[in-house]
Amino acid sequence: MAGERRWRRRPPPPPPASSSGGGAGGYSRVVHCNDAAAAAAGAARVVYRGNEVATTKYTVANFVPKSLFEQFRRAANVFFLAVACVSFSPLAPYRAVSILLPLVVVVGATMAKEAVEDWRRKQQDIEVNNRKVKVYNEANSFHETEWKRLRVGDVVKVEKDEFFPADLLLLSSSYEDGICYVETMNLDGETNLKRKQSLQITSSLTNDQSFQKFKALIKCEDPNDKLYSFIGTMYFNGVQYPLSPQQILLRDSKLRNTQYVYGIVIFTGHDTKVMQNAMDPPSKRSNVERRMDKIIYLLFTILVVIASIGSIFFGIKTKGEMSEGNYMWYLRPDKSSIFFDPRRAGLAAFCHFLTSLMLYGCLIPISLYISIEIVKVLQSTFINQDQKMYCEESDKPARARTSNLNEELGQVHTILSDKTGTLTCNSMEFVKCSIGGVAYGSGSTEAEKSYRKDKEINYFELKPLSSGFNGYERLVKGFNFYDDRLMNGQWVKEPHSETVQMFFRVLAICHTAIPVVESKSVSYEAESPDEAAFVTTARELGFEFFQRTQMSISLHEFDLKIGRKVIRTYKLLNILEFSSARKRMSVIVRTEEDELLLFCKGADGVIFEKLSKDGQVFEAETKCHINEYSEAGLRTLAVAYRKLTEEEYRIWNEEFLAAKSSVNADHDMIVDEAAEKIEKDLILLGATGVEDRLQKGVPECINKLAEAGIKIWILTGDKLETAVNIGFACHLLRKEMKNIVIKLDTPEISVLKDGDKEAIKMAINERIANQIREAQSQVSSSKGSSVSFALIIDGNSLAYALSSGLENSFLDLAVDCASVICCRISPKQKALVTRLVKRRTRKTTLAIGDGANDVGMLQEADIGVGISGVEGMQAVMSSDFAIAQFRFLERLLLVHGHWCYRRIAAMICYFFYKNLAFGFTLFWFEAHALFSAQPAYNDWYISFYNVAFTSLPVMALGVFDKDVSSAICLKFPSLHQDGIRNIFFSWPRILGWMLNGIITATIIYYFTTNAILDQAFRSDGRVAGSELLGATMYTCVVWAVNCQLALYLSYFTWIQHLLIWGSIFFWYIFLVIYGFFPPTISTTAYRVFLEACVSSPLYWLSSLFIVVAALLPYFSYLTFQTMFFPKYHHSIQRAKTGDS
C-alpha cells in the first residue's frame, strides 16, 4: 500500500523521554528494536516497565492494613471498634470479649472473603506471567522465556493459537505479504477475526537468521487506553515509515489462521493497552443502600439521645445523694469513685454516657452489611440460573455481573436503549438499492408491515425470499434482495449498465473484509454486519471478492467488453478508514488499465456535500429513494466514486503520508484533513438499503414495560425516518400517540444556510426554543386526558436543546412524554442524555446497549445492561447485568427486580425492627433501675442476638420470599410501580417498622415485669431475680421477632421453616449448654434454664401470652390496612388467593 511506502527523510535524533514511559497524552516513547547496546547507552537509556502484571488488590505487606481500612470505612464498624476499645476499661457494662467477638467475626469473615478472591487473582497472575514465548537473544537465535522477562525492544516469535505476550509491532508473518489474523475476544469480546498487516519493508523478515542485522528505531505515543488507535513512526535504514493500528498486535489477543509472526515489543506489562483499560468501573450504589446509611445515622442519633437521657437522669440523681432525705447508704457516697461521685456529678454523668453507648450498642445492627452482601450474592445466583432468561440460539444465560444493584432493577423509571443490535438483531440484510436514479428490490420490511397494521391499511405482503422468487430459492445470510432486472447477470441489459457495474464494484472493493475460501465457496469475516452484507450482495450479483493481499484486491466479475467473467485485480493504494466523525470510508485503487479510482461509501448527508456538478445527475431521484428506504426502516448509505489524475494523486499522497507520519496529539485531525482533500468532486452512483430485523419478542416486551409505567427512550445514530418506523415496529410508537417532532431541516433554517455563523446559531437556537415551547403547551393542554405523547428529535437539534438555556425545558418536555426517540446521536451525546435524565428525574435510570459506542451510556446510568450480541462483548464487559436479547429485560425487571427490591427493603426494615425491639427492653430496664447502667441481659445473650438467634431467618427472607409468583408479576406489570414509588422502603414504612420495634419492646418489658416479678417463680416459692427476668424477656424477644417475620412472609419454603423455628430452638440449646459453664464464665446464666425456667409454669405461660400480645399491634394494623385501605399489591395477592 502507498500508505506504507517510504517517506524519505533523515530521522531526527530520539527525543528525551521520561523514565515512566508515558502519560496518556505524550508522544515521547522511543524503542530501540533488537539493539540492546543502543538502548543501554547514555541519554538514550529509558527505563520502561517490565512485562510482569499484577491484578491483585492487596499484597502480603498491605493486606491487613488496607483490608482493615476498607472495613472501617463503614460507620457501624467504626462505632463497634470504639465500643470494643472502651470495653477494656472499667466503664464497660459487659466483658470485653463479648463485645469484641461479634466484631471480629463480622470483620474477619469479610476479610477472609477478600483474601480468597485476591488469592484467586494472584494465581491467575502467576499463570499468565509464567507463560512461555520465544525471544531473540544475543546468540542470534530464538529461545523460550517467561512473559515476565520480556523487555521493550525485544524481537519475539508468536506461533498459531498463542496469545501475544505484550503489545507488539508486527514485522512479518508466515504469509509472504506480512498479513496475519487476530482474535480479539479477550479485549472487546468480538469473535470475528481481524486482519493485520506488517509494513512492506519488514515483511521479508521471515526466518530466524534474517534478524541478525535488523536494527530499527521507533518513536511513538506513550502508553494509553485507546485500543483502536496507534500513532508512531519507524526509522529503518535511514528511512521513516508511518505506523498505524494495522501493525499493532495487542496483548491478550490471539494469533489465528497464521502459522507464526515476528514482532517487536512496544508496550509491556501495565503499559499495554489492555492493562491501561483494566480499571475499576464507576462505583454505583443503589438508592436503597444510600437510604440505609441515613437510617444507620438515625439509629446513631437515637442511641445518643437515649444514652443522654439516661446520663442526665443519672447525673441529677447522683448530685441529689448529697441532699438530706435522699441518702442511699448502700451506695456509700461518702466513699465514692469517679463513676459515682455526688461532688462531681457532671463527670459521673459523662462516664455514664460512655457506658450507655456500649450498653445500647445493640441498636446498631453489626451484621447488617455482611448479611446484605450474602443475600445479594444469592439473589444474583438465582438471576444467573433463571432458565427463562437463557438464549438457546446463542447459548448465553443472563448474568448479574455485580450484585450491588439487584434491588435497583425493581425501581427502574426510565430505560434508555440503543437500537441497532439491542432492539434489532444487528444481522444486516441487503434489501433494496438505488442505482443511477432507478430503484431496485421488492418486498416489505418489518417496519412497513407494523406501520401499515397500526394504520389499519390492507396491503399485499410479498413472500419472503426463502420461499422463492421465480425459482430462486437460495437463502444467503445478509442477502434478502430480489429484482429480475439485476439477478442472474441481467444487469448487463440495463440502460445504465456501466453505472450498475461501478456501483457493485465499489461494494466489492471499498471495505476491510477478509475472504474465507472453503472448497469452492467464499464467505467473509467483516468488522461490521453492514460490510458483510455489502460484500455478500456484490458476490451474489456477479462481483465476487475472493482474495486480498497487502497490496491488492481480486474479484471475479463480468466484463462488459468481452462478455464473460474474468479475474480482475485492483492494486490497493490507500484506505481512508471509516470513523464516527468522518461517517464514510474510501479506498484508492489502480486498475489493470492503469486508471486511478477513488471509491467511497458513507452517510448520504456527507456524500451529497462532496459531489461534483457533473456527479449530481441522479441526486434528486436518489434522495427520494433514500427517504423511502428510511421510512421503510432501512439503514441507508450513499455510494460514489471519482477518477484521479497521476499528478493530483502524487501531490496528495505525499501530503497524506506526511500526515500519517506525524506523531503528535493532532495526528487524527491532520490525517482527516488530508483525506478531505481527495474526497471531493465525487460522482454519485446510488444508495443502499439494508434491513436490521427486530429481535424476537421486542414489541411484546416494550408493551409490558410501558404497562409497568416505565418510560422508554431510544438513542440511535439512524436517520429520523428509520428510527420512527422502527419505533412503530417495536410498539414504542403507537397509533393513538401524538408525535412531537423537533428537527432543523425547516424552511426558515434553510434560508440562513449561507449566512453569518453567529446569526445562524442564534436563529437555530430560537427555532428549537419555539418548537419546545409549542410542544410543552400541547402537552400541558392534554394533561388529565388519556392522550399520550412521543417526542422525536434529531442529533443536531438535540445539541441545541441540551445547551444551558434550553436544557431544563427540553428535559421537562421529554419527561412528560411516554416515549422519546433521539436520532443521529453520537456516543458522547448518549452518555450526556443519560446523565441529564438521571439528574433531572432523580429516579432510577437503566441504559441498555450492545456495542462499544454504548459503553459511556451504560456506565453513566444507574444500571447498565449489556446485550451479548453481534457487535462483541464490550458493552457486556462495562455493564452491571448482561442478557442475550432485549426481551429478557421484561423478566429481569418485572420479576427479579420486583422480588429483589421487596426482599431487600423488607430485610433492612426487619433488621432495624428487631434491633429496636431488643435495644429498648434494655432502655426500659435501665429506667426501672434508675439508670444505673446495670444490663438486663447476660453479656453473651447480647453478643449472640444479631449473630445467632435472628440473623439467618432474615437472610432467608431476603433470598426466598415471594409476595406473588413470576407469572403474576408478568400478568400485572403495574406491580412495578411499587418500586418506582418506593412503597416498600419509604420513610413512613421505615419509621413504622421502627415504631413497631419500640412498641414490641415496651409490651415485652412491662408485661414481663408485671407477670413474673413479686410472685413465686421457682418451684420452692422463691421470686424471680434479675437473671430470671433477663432470661424470660430474652425468650420473649427471640420468639416475638422470629414470629413477626413468619407473619410477614408471603411464601414459605422448608428452608424458612427450618431457620425460623431452628433459631428459636437454638436459643434454648444455647441456654442449656452455656448454663453448664462455670459461674465465672456463665455468670447470670449459670443453670438458670434447667434449674428455674424449665420447671416454672409461669415462665412458659408468660412467654406465650407476652409473645402473642407483642404481635397483636402489627397483626391488627396489617388486617385493618388490607381490609379497608389496601395497596395495589394487596389487591393482587387477594385476587391470587381467590383464584386459587
Side-chain angles (χ1 to χ4, degrees):
M1 290 173 60
E4 293 162 357
R5 292 177 179 174
R6 295 181 296 179
W7 181 28
R8 295 199 172 273
R9 173 180 154 185
R10 218 171 149 186
S18 61
S19 61
S20 65
Y27 297 88
S28 61
R29 197 171 187 87
V30 176
V31 179
H32 295 272
C33 307
N34 200 29
D35 194 351
R45 173 65 174 165
V46 180
V47 180
Y48 294 119
R49 296 186 185 186
N51 201 41
E52 187 170 7
V53 297
T55 60
T56 54
K57 185 177 180 180
Y58 305 103
T59 65
V60 174
N62 71 15
F63 172 72
V64 173
K66 191 173 180 180
S67 183
L68 285 174
F69 173 76
E70 291 290 332
Q71 297 307 309
F72 289 105
R73 289 171 67 183
R74 293 172 171 170
N77 287 349
V78 173
F79 168 76
F80 282 107
L81 177 63
V83 168
C85 293
V86 179
S87 68
F88 288 95
S89 72
L91 290 169
Y94 312 121
R95 284 171 292 183
V97 65
S98 66
I99 297 176
L100 191 60
L101 184 61
L103 179 65
V104 170
V105 169
V106 170
V107 172
T110 310
M111 288 178 66
K113 169 177 159 285
E114 293 273 329
V116 169
E117 290 176 351
D118 217 48
W119 175 251
R120 289 173 181 166
R121 286 191 287 266
K122 178 66 175 176
Q123 294 301 107
Q124 292 172 350
D125 290 344
I126 292 173
E127 188 273 327
V128 169
N129 289 326
N130 287 292
R131 288 177 181 171
K132 301 291 185 180
V133 66
K134 291 181 180 179
V135 63
Y136 197 71
N137 60 15
E138 295 176 356
N140 296 328
S141 63
F142 284 88
H143 72 285
E144 280 196 345
T145 188
E146 294 89 2
W147 280 20
K148 62 185 178 184
R149 299 185 184 278
L150 285 184
R151 294 293 178 264
V152 172
D154 285 348
V155 176
V156 298
K157 182 179 183 180
V158 180
E159 297 182 336
K160 184 179 179 180
D161 294 332
E162 289 183 348
F163 290 101
F164 299 117
D167 288 352
L168 309 178
L169 172 70
L170 176 62
L171 294 175
S172 61
S173 74
S174 56
Y175 293 104
E176 289 183 5
D177 54 1
I179 65 170
C180 70
Y181 299 100
V182 175
E183 181 187 275
T184 59
M185 188 168 65
N186 284 352
L187 304 181
D188 54 22
E190 296 184 19
T191 55
N192 55 312
L193 300 183
K194 309 293 191 303
R195 182 178 180 273
K196 301 288 185 176
Q197 59 186 42
S198 68
L199 296 175
Q200 188 180 6
I201 192 66
T202 62
S203 61
S204 59
L205 302 171
T206 55
N207 56 60
D208 297 0
Q209 291 72 35
S210 58
F211 290 96
Q212 290 183 11
K213 296 183 180 180
F214 173 73
K215 299 285 187 294
L217 180 71
I218 295 173
K219 175 188 171 186
C220 65
E221 64 186 19
D222 289 330
N224 60 71
D225 59 358
K226 298 174 182 176
L227 288 174
Y228 305 109
S229 71
F230 181 80
I231 300 171
T233 304
M234 184 171 78
Y235 302 96
F236 181 52
N237 292 337
V239 181
Q240 180 177 348
Y241 300 90
L243 303 175
S244 73
Q246 275 295 93
Q247 287 90 47
I248 300 302
L249 308 174
L250 299 181
R251 179 188 174 112
D252 280 351
S253 52
K254 183 182 283 190
L255 184 65
R256 293 288 197 188
N257 296 0
T258 311
Q259 293 304 315
Y260 61 84
V261 296
Y262 294 103
I264 289 287
V265 176
I266 303 293
F267 298 120
T268 51
H270 288 274
D271 285 346
T272 58
K273 290 182 181 287
V274 66
M275 294 305 296
Q276 291 281 310
N277 276 275
M279 61 180 66
D280 293 331
S283 177
K284 295 182 181 181
R285 298 186 71 208
S286 69
N287 292 322
V288 169
E289 197 171 330
R290 282 192 286 266
R291 181 164 289 185
M292 183 178 73
D293 289 343
K294 295 177 182 177
I295 303 171
I296 292 287
Y297 296 138
L298 176 61
L299 287 180
F300 273 125
T301 304
I302 294 173
L303 172 61
V304 171
V305 168
I306 63 174
S308 300
I309 291 171
S311 300
I312 291 170
F313 276 95
F314 178 79
I316 294 171
K317 185 64 179 174
T318 301
K319 190 171 185 179
E321 290 298 320
M322 298 301 295
S323 306
E324 290 293 332
N326 290 329
Y327 187 83
M328 293 186 181
W329 60 268
Y330 57 87
L331 294 177
R332 296 303 301 272
D334 55 324
K335 292 185 178 181
S336 60
S337 67
I338 190 176
F339 307 113
F340 176 69
D341 188 350
R343 299 179 188 83
R344 293 183 290 175
L347 183 59
F350 178 73
C351 291
H352 183 277
F353 175 76
L354 296 178
T355 302
S356 298
L357 290 180
M358 289 182 277
L359 185 65
Y360 305 131
C362 57
L363 288 174
I364 312 299
I366 188 172
S367 60
L368 174 60
Y369 288 106
I370 191 170
S371 297
I372 288 178
E373 283 184 17
I374 293 170
V375 164
K376 287 186 175 183
V377 168
L378 293 173
Q379 288 178 346
S380 299
T381 303
F382 288 143
I383 292 174
N384 297 342
Q385 294 180 349
D386 190 339
Q387 292 295 316
K388 294 183 179 178
M389 290 198 295
Y390 168 73
C391 180
E392 292 184 4
E393 294 88 344
S394 60
D395 189 30
K396 290 176 182 174
R399 280 284 175 264
R401 303 187 71 253
T402 176
S403 59
N404 294 339
L405 303 172
N406 296 347
E407 66 274 21
E408 287 282 88
L409 295 171
Q411 295 184 280
V412 171
H413 174 268
T414 306
I415 294 173
L416 300 108
S417 174
D418 175 43
K419 182 188 77 69
T420 304
T422 303
L423 300 176
T424 61
C425 299
N426 202 13
S427 179
M428 307 299 179
E429 292 186 337
F430 192 96
V431 178
K432 298 182 181 183
C433 63
S434 170
I435 307 174
V438 179
Y440 296 95
S442 55
S444 296
T445 65
E446 284 186 348
E448 287 177 308
K449 296 170 187 176
S450 178
Y451 184 78
R452 290 169 179 171
K453 284 178 183 176
D454 281 345
K455 296 295 184 181
E456 297 179 352
I457 298 175
N458 294 321
Y459 67 101
F460 174 71
E461 182 179 325
L462 292 172
K463 293 181 179 179
L465 181 63
S466 56
S467 299
F469 282 108
N470 298 339
Y472 188 82
E473 296 185 354
R474 287 183 63 191
L475 180 62
V476 179
K477 182 180 180 182
F479 183 68
N480 193 13
F481 176 88
Y482 188 82
D483 195 302
D484 282 323
R485 294 170 292 175
L486 298 183
M487 304 296 292
N488 302 317
Q490 295 300 307
W491 61 269
V492 299
K493 299 177 182 178
E494 288 293 286
H496 54 286
S497 57
E498 290 185 357
T499 304
V500 175
Q501 182 185 42
M502 188 62 75
F503 178 88
F504 288 113
R505 189 177 282 168
V506 172
L507 295 187
I509 294 173
C510 186
H511 57 77
T512 57
I514 302 166
V516 180
V517 181
E518 296 177 357
S519 63
K520 295 183 178 180
S521 64
V522 181
S523 59
Y524 304 105
E525 290 278 357
E527 292 187 6
S528 71
D530 308 62
E531 203 164 68
F534 293 142
V535 184
T536 300
T537 298
R539 181 194 69 196
E540 292 300 308
L541 295 178
F543 295 80
E544 183 183 57
F545 160 53
F546 69 93
Q547 187 179 51
R548 175 191 284 272
T549 69
Q550 186 170 348
M551 302 294 294
S552 66
I553 281 182
S554 298
L555 307 182
H556 288 127
E557 66 171 79
F558 188 87
D559 192 309
L560 287 172
K561 293 179 181 178
I562 63 177
R564 60 181 173 83
K565 268 198 173 185
V566 297
I567 295 176
R568 291 182 66 89
T569 299
Y570 297 85
K571 190 174 182 181
L572 197 56
L573 302 179
N574 302 88
I575 296 179
L576 311 181
E577 296 180 355
F578 176 88
S579 72
S580 57
R582 284 169 38 79
K583 296 183 180 179
R584 63 190 180 278
M585 175 192 177
S586 300
V587 297
I588 299 175
V589 298
R590 186 183 296 275
T591 68
E592 293 176 347
E593 293 79 18
D594 209 29
E595 189 176 29
L596 284 172
L597 297 174
L598 180 144
F599 294 153
C600 183
K601 68 173 190 277
D604 52 273
V606 175
I607 300 297
F608 288 149
E609 290 177 355
K610 299 183 177 298
L611 297 179
S612 66
K613 291 184 178 179
D614 296 335
Q616 300 174 6
V617 178
F618 319 118
E619 183 178 2
E621 295 90 340
T622 304
K623 281 184 176 180
C624 180
H625 294 151
I626 285 175
N627 289 334
E628 290 175 4
Y629 297 164
S630 297
E631 289 171 2
L634 299 180
R635 294 161 62 95
T636 59
L637 284 180
V639 178
Y641 84 107
R642 67 168 295 204
K643 295 180 180 180
L644 305 174
T645 65
E646 292 289 344
E647 180 65 15
E648 179 186 18
Y649 174 71
R650 184 187 61 77
I651 294 171
W652 173 83
N653 193 44
E654 287 181 0
E655 182 180 349
F656 184 66
L657 288 176
K660 289 188 70 176
S661 299
S662 63
V663 182
N664 54 58
D666 298 325
H667 174 272
D668 291 343
M669 185 183 72
I670 294 171
V671 171
D672 288 350
E673 287 176 354
E676 286 267 359
K677 294 180 180 180
I678 199 73
E679 293 173 321
K680 62 181 182 179
D681 298 331
L682 301 177
I683 298 172
L684 182 65
L685 293 171
T688 62
V690 176
E691 182 180 20
D692 188 7
R693 294 187 178 275
L694 283 177
Q695 292 179 15
K696 176 183 175 183
V698 167
E700 295 80 5
C701 176
I702 287 180
N703 275 338
K704 285 287 186 185
L705 296 176
E707 288 177 31
I710 299 174
K711 296 182 181 295
I712 302 175
W713 292 41
I714 290 181
L715 311 180
T716 178
D718 283 336
K719 290 171 67 71
L720 187 144
E721 295 85 0
T722 304
V724 166
N725 280 280
I726 291 296
F728 277 107
C730 68
H731 292 181
L732 182 66
L733 303 179
R734 297 176 291 278
K735 61 183 179 181
E736 69 273 8
M737 276 184 170
K738 287 189 176 180
N739 294 340
I740 298 170
V741 181
I742 298 177
K743 56 183 180 179
L744 288 181
D745 56 346
T746 59
E748 296 91 332
I749 301 301
S750 301
V751 170
L752 298 170
K753 187 175 181 181
D754 300 319
D756 178 64
K757 288 185 177 180
E758 283 300 317
I760 294 173
K761 187 176 180 180
M762 290 178 62
I764 290 174
N765 205 62
E766 183 61 29
R767 176 60 185 161
I768 297 297
N770 289 337
Q771 290 185 66
I772 291 174
R773 280 194 293 269
E774 291 170 7
Q776 283 179 321
S777 174
Q778 190 177 356
V779 172
S780 299
S781 63
S782 299
K783 281 189 176 177
S785 66
S786 59
V787 178
S788 58
F789 290 85
L791 174 63
I792 302 152
I793 184 170
D794 64 19
N796 292 331
S797 303
L798 185 66
Y800 287 95
L802 295 180
S803 62
S804 56
L806 300 175
E807 176 185 310
N808 291 337
S809 55
F810 168 72
L811 288 172
D812 287 340
L813 170 63
V815 168
D816 286 336
C817 293
S819 303
V820 181
I821 297 178
C822 300
C823 318
R824 292 295 196 195
I825 187 171
S826 68
K828 188 175 180 180
Q829 284 179 314
K830 286 184 179 183
L832 178 61
V833 168
T834 304
R835 182 190 309 159
L836 293 174
V837 171
K838 180 174 67 173
R839 289 179 179 175
R840 188 68 175 171
T841 61
R842 296 189 177 180
K843 300 280 189 179
T844 303
T845 57
L846 180 148
I848 179 169
D850 73 317
N853 61 334
D854 301 317
V855 168
M857 176 175 73
L858 299 187
Q859 292 185 339
E860 193 64 56
D862 293 306
I863 305 170
V865 177
I867 292 199
S868 45
V870 177
E871 288 191 27
M873 300 289 285
Q874 280 180 289
V876 167
M877 292 190 295
S878 303
S879 67
D880 305 303
F881 297 88
I883 54 178
Q885 293 193 351
F886 185 88
R887 61 190 166 99
F888 297 132
L889 191 63
E890 175 187 352
R891 186 171 179 85
L892 185 65
L893 299 188
L894 303 187
V895 177
H896 290 284
H898 175 76
W899 285 346
C900 290
Y901 163 68
R902 184 179 180 276
R903 290 165 177 170
I904 291 294
M907 179 182 174
I908 296 171
C909 288
Y910 178 79
F911 247 104
F912 296 130
Y913 155 78
K914 72 184 181 67
N915 278 47
L916 284 168
F918 182 60
F920 265 81
T921 58
L922 286 167
F923 178 72
W924 297 131
F925 181 84
E926 271 290 283
H928 183 79
L930 296 179
F931 296 102
S932 60
Q934 174 67 31
Y937 305 117
N938 183 285
D939 45 6
W940 285 106
Y941 294 0
I942 297 175
S943 299
F944 280 110
Y945 178 76
N946 275 317
V947 176
F949 305 134
T950 60
S951 60
L952 293 179
V954 71
M955 290 172 66
L957 162 69
V959 175
F960 298 108
D961 191 38
K962 297 179 185 177
D963 57 337
V964 291
S965 66
S966 60
I968 296 297
C969 287
L970 296 174
K971 185 178 179 181
F972 299 97
S974 297
L975 282 169
H976 186 78
Q977 284 294 310
D978 290 344
I980 294 176
R981 298 200 300 267
N982 206 10
I983 296 294
F984 294 113
F985 206 59
S986 61
W987 277 112
R989 191 176 181 89
I990 293 165
L991 296 175
W993 273 100
M994 295 173 77
L995 178 62
N996 186 27
I998 295 172
I999 292 171
T1000 299
T1002 305
I1003 291 173
I1004 289 174
Y1005 175 75
Y1006 284 103
F1007 279 37
T1008 305
T1009 53
N1010 283 286
I1012 70 170
L1013 292 183
D1014 303 325
Q1015 56 186 306
F1017 186 90
R1018 297 175 183 262
S1019 57
D1020 59 4
R1022 284 184 291 170
V1023 296
S1026 61
E1027 76 283 0
L1028 289 174
L1029 176 64
T1032 306
M1033 275 201 303
Y1034 198 93
T1035 300
C1036 293
V1037 170
V1038 170
W1039 269 97
V1041 297
N1042 281 292
C1043 290
Q1044 174 75 78
L1045 182 61
L1047 270 181
Y1048 177 82
L1049 288 175
S1050 303
Y1051 177 78
F1052 271 99
T1053 65
W1054 66 268
I1055 297 175
Q1056 285 151 312
H1057 280 295
L1058 175 65
L1059 295 180
I1060 291 173
W1061 314 122
S1063 294
I1064 296 171
F1065 181 69
F1066 183 62
W1067 154 241
Y1068 291 112
I1069 297 297
F1070 168 80
L1071 203 53
V1072 171
I1073 295 173
Y1074 186 47
F1076 280 115
F1077 281 82
T1080 53
I1081 298 175
S1082 58
T1083 62
T1084 57
Y1086 182 67
R1087 297 186 180 275
V1088 69
F1089 184 69
L1090 292 178
E1091 292 187 357
C1093 296
V1094 169
S1095 59
S1096 174
L1098 185 59
Y1099 170 78
W1100 297 107
L1101 287 172
S1102 59
S1103 297
L1104 174 62
F1105 286 109
I1106 291 168
V1107 168
V1108 171
L1111 296 174
L1112 272 177
Y1114 174 76
F1115 182 77
S1116 302
Y1117 166 77
L1118 187 62
T1119 303
F1120 180 79
Q1121 184 190 53
T1122 306
M1123 293 292 293
F1124 300 105
F1125 301 100
K1127 302 287 187 183
Y1128 182 69
H1129 58 274
H1130 290 145
S1131 304
I1132 298 298
Q1133 286 175 314
R1134 289 171 65 181
K1136 179 194 71 171
T1137 305
D1139 292 342
S1140 61

